Amino acid sequence: MQINSAQHETRTGNLGETATYKVEMNAMLFDTVINGIYADKIRAPFREITTNARDGHAAKGNLDQPFDVFLPSVLEPTFKVRDYGISLTHEQIMGLYSTMFASSKRGSNLEVGNKGLGSKSPWAYTSVFTVIAYLGEYKRTYSAFIGTDGVPQIALLDMCETTEPDGIEVSFPVKVEDVARFRAVAPDVLFGFDPFPNILNEQFVRPEPVVLYQGDGWTLYDKTTVPFDGLMARQGCVLYPISAAPLDIATTLFNWAVMIDFPIGDLEVATSREALGYDSRTVATLTKRINDTIAGMTDMLKDEVGAAASYLEACAILAEGKAFNSPKKALFDLVGNHLTWGGKALREMITCDAHRFGAHASELFAGRIAMGELRKSVAHRPGLISAIYRTPKEMLETLVYVEFEGTRFGPSRMRQAIMDNVDKKDIIWIRANDLETASRMLQDLGNPVWIDLSIVEPLKWISGPKTEARRLQYMSPTDSVQRQSNLSARYDTLIPTEDMFFVKQDGADFFLNGSRLSKVQLHNAINGLMKAGVIARGEQIYLLNKASQKILDDVDMIDLGEFAKEKLGNMVDASTLRLPESGWTVTERVANCRKALVADVPVPVGIKSVCQMVVDDADAPKDTMASDHPLMEVYRRYYPTEYSRAASRADPVVQAYQEMLEEFPLFNHTISNTPKFNYYMELLAR
């Protein structure tokens, strides 16, 4: 990289004897330069050596060819980088590696380096490293080391013929305790390299970055998939964090996972290459590129929203982008308030007064009405509401019917609409004087697709038992009882049908599955059946007192207790039901068996076979349910005998494990201590 040197004009006048400043190469200078500038002694040589490898490829013109990186491991604790660039002659190595601040890269901006310190960076971590130069037909091996006087030296160790391609290889030993650290910094240091280097001798999986948006020289990532969470500048292959303090820019962009590319030479960097140098030229360059990036992001987001098929779809894009857990939230927060579709500002929430001059609306919620089923008990003239409040996505998934004044059989047509709603969507029912008054309300709702209720055929009733309409009390729990007011009576005036559930009542008592229950107990029992999935949430259970029970002579309504018992019998296979032990017991047993299966010493067949059985059972999917599972709580109430048998039934895996412990009593006492366990296994083998 070319150096942007300042021009100095000095008027000397009539001077006496002058002397040029010099540098004495000694141990103090070496330690001050190398150890003084590099804060991270592991990251620094990793970054500098790989950057030199990239520069070697740039000089040769093969930047599209990845170089090799050997990450250290416990078995082979060596860090190594091998490039396939221009290589170096003997004279160049003896000169560049033995001269501080000597660099061959200051003539152009094709290469990142220029300080003349990167090749010496291994000394920040180690006192000796190896350089191998492949050039032409020869391979030359050098050792760079710190002499007894503390001054570094480099020496030629060997020279031999080779058929390897040209390039440079730099390597040095790594302390075993630092192996994990070298592997941990690899994704971070190498993130800016394109192409990504070849990682050798290591099961290294690069975290795949997720790109959210990408524009001219900038990329916005999902911050959970990249090793940084702020604004970064990439110059060549090195990433530098951009600090907001030196820049006069007020933007949230500094909190995003954004990488902006800069041509080599545009930004001044610190000597250590660990940070940017904020001189006036660099500040001006950063400011312009950041403002250009914000403008590019704004245009891109406007294009994305503009491509939506409808206003509601555009609003849904905005709402999803600004959601709390959205990775794109920062971008939408910056631009979202300026987004429009068809000249209309977007909204995160769709709100609409349910009463307007000449129009009013009601809502039919799928969670409260059995959509897609014929329920004669459903009141299809629901009470009016004050406002409709929905997200754009919910509004897109809502059916909107408009009933104009003069439409005959409106309630009957709506019943048929509910019958046709097999996807169980919510419904908004608008009644309006005319199209103009309806349009104003529809516009407030985001102009959804709507259906004229007059095109829906009225519901054709299927003839059945001639039973008169009755006013019946029902119960439909939404949660457990917390206060008595939750049990306030609700009534339907309806014609009973054979698909309605009932429970018999005698005064303050109710009868379910042969048990006498209070109203609170019945409420909780029904709620338990809903939680367990035996009956649908929102199902209405009618309470038939002695007078109402005469209905059963004409209509075969469904007895809830008999229905629940039959369905539970189909949902749970009592013959194979296994109730698990407490979680910590299972975890401990499985962990012990996994250790035994990977032991370094031979394990007796009696132990190994049982341990394999335990591990396989833990890994295999099972229908086992915990005793506190909602289904098990209900099953225990309806099938107490079968539940007790399952609870006392011996688990074959647990039984085999206990029998193994009886035969090998020291297994559990030694498995947590590897030397003791190995010694125990050796004793058993004798």
Side-chain angles (χ1 to χ4, degrees), residues 19-309:
T20 303
Y21 276 80
K22 306 175 184 66
V23 174
E24 180 182 345
M25 187 60 195
N26 54 37
M28 179 178 293
L29 172 67
F30 167 73
D31 184 71
T32 300
V33 171
I34 296 299
N35 287 325
I37 67 171
Y38 293 127
D40 193 325
K41 311 302 182 185
I42 290 178
R43 188 183 297 266
F46 199 131
R47 179 186 62 250
E48 298 300 316
I49 295 175
T50 52
T51 299
N52 281 348
R54 178 263 177 207
D55 286 348
H57 284 220
K60 191 174 182 179
N62 62 335
L63 264 177
D64 58 341
Q65 179 183 0
F67 55 87
D68 300 334
V69 176
F70 182 97
L71 290 178
S73 64
V74 175
L75 296 178
E76 193 169 354
T78 302
F79 177 71
K80 184 188 306 180
V81 177
R82 163 71 156 102
D83 69 56
Y84 302 94
I86 58 172
S87 191
L88 296 170
T89 65
H90 174 70
E91 291 74 15
Q92 288 174 317
I93 286 183
M94 298 302 287
L96 293 175
Y97 276 87
S98 64
T99 307
M100 303 296 288
F101 301 103
S103 175
S104 61
K105 304 176 184 179
R106 294 169 183 159
S108 75
N109 280 330
L110 292 175
E111 299 159 279
V112 177
N114 73 356
K115 304 292 186 184
L117 293 175
S119 60
K120 295 84 178 175
S121 61
W123 277 316
Y125 177 81
T126 183
S127 60
V128 59
F129 63 93
T130 301
V131 181
I132 299 177
Y134 298 91
L135 183 61
E137 300 177 356
Y138 294 97
K139 166 187 172 183
R140 287 172 280 111
T141 303
Y142 300 83
S143 176
F145 59 94
I146 298 177
T148 55
D149 57 355
V151 177
Q153 303 177 43
I154 188 167
L156 176 64
L157 297 182
D158 181 55
M159 181 173 178
C160 61
E161 293 184 353
T162 184
T163 58
E164 289 285 321
D166 290 355
I168 295 291
E169 179 182 293
V170 179
S171 62
F172 56 82
V174 172
K175 300 173 185 176
V176 173
E177 58 267 28
D178 291 334
V179 165
R181 178 80 190 286
F182 270 87
R183 295 163 61 181
V185 303
D188 188 359
V189 174
L190 300 177
F191 186 88
F193 286 83
D194 186 17
F196 198 79
N198 296 320
I199 308 298
L200 305 179
N201 294 0
E202 176 66 29
Q203 296 299 319
F204 176 84
V205 178
R206 179 192 182 191
E208 193 62 35
V210 175
V211 176
L212 301 178
Y213 292 95
Q214 195 166 36
D216 184 15
W218 60 267
T219 306
L220 170 63
Y221 297 96
D222 181 342
K223 65 169 55 179
T224 63
T225 66
V226 293
F228 56 89
D229 60 0
L231 186 58
M232 306 294 287
R234 179 170 69 172
Q235 186 167 245
C237 59
V238 183
L239 267 63
Y240 305 94
I242 301 177
S243 173
L247 308 178
D248 187 18
I249 301 178
T251 175
T252 59
L253 194 65
F254 294 98
N255 301 322
W256 310 356
V258 177
M259 182 180 72
I260 303 178
D261 282 311
F262 292 83
I264 296 175
D266 273 20
L267 305 178
E268 186 61 39
V269 300
T271 303
S272 63
R273 217 183 341 239
E274 294 175 341
L276 293 173
Y278 292 91
D279 60 357
S280 58
R281 182 180 67 91
T282 299
V283 169
T285 302
L286 287 171
T287 301
K288 182 179 184 305
R289 284 300 308 280
I290 291 173
N291 287 331
D292 290 346
T293 298
I294 294 173
M297 290 177 171
T298 303
D299 292 340
M300 185 170 290
L301 210 56
K302 286 181 178 178
D303 292 342
E304 179 180 345
V305 170

Side-chain angles (χ1 to χ4, degrees), residues 519-537:
K519 196 169 188 179
V520 172
Q521 291 171 329
L522 177 64
H523 181 286
N524 290 336
I526 296 173
N527 191 49
L529 291 172
M530 290 179 176
K531 284 184 177 180
V534 178
I535 56 176
R537 177 67 72 180

Side-chain angles (χ1 to χ4, degrees), residues 590 594 597 609-622:
V590 174
R594 290 191 193 278
L597 292 176
S609 60
V610 172
C611 287
Q612 190 65 57
M613 181 193 305
V614 171
V615 171
D616 290 345
D617 182 69
D619 293 339
K622 298 183 291 297

Side-chain angles (χ1 to χ4, degrees), residues 101 213 368 400 433 445 530 552 612 617 667:
F101 301 103
Y213 292 95
R368 301 177 190 172
V400 179
N433 292 342
L445 289 173
M530 290 179 176
L552 301 178
Q612 190 65 57
D617 182 69
F667 177 84

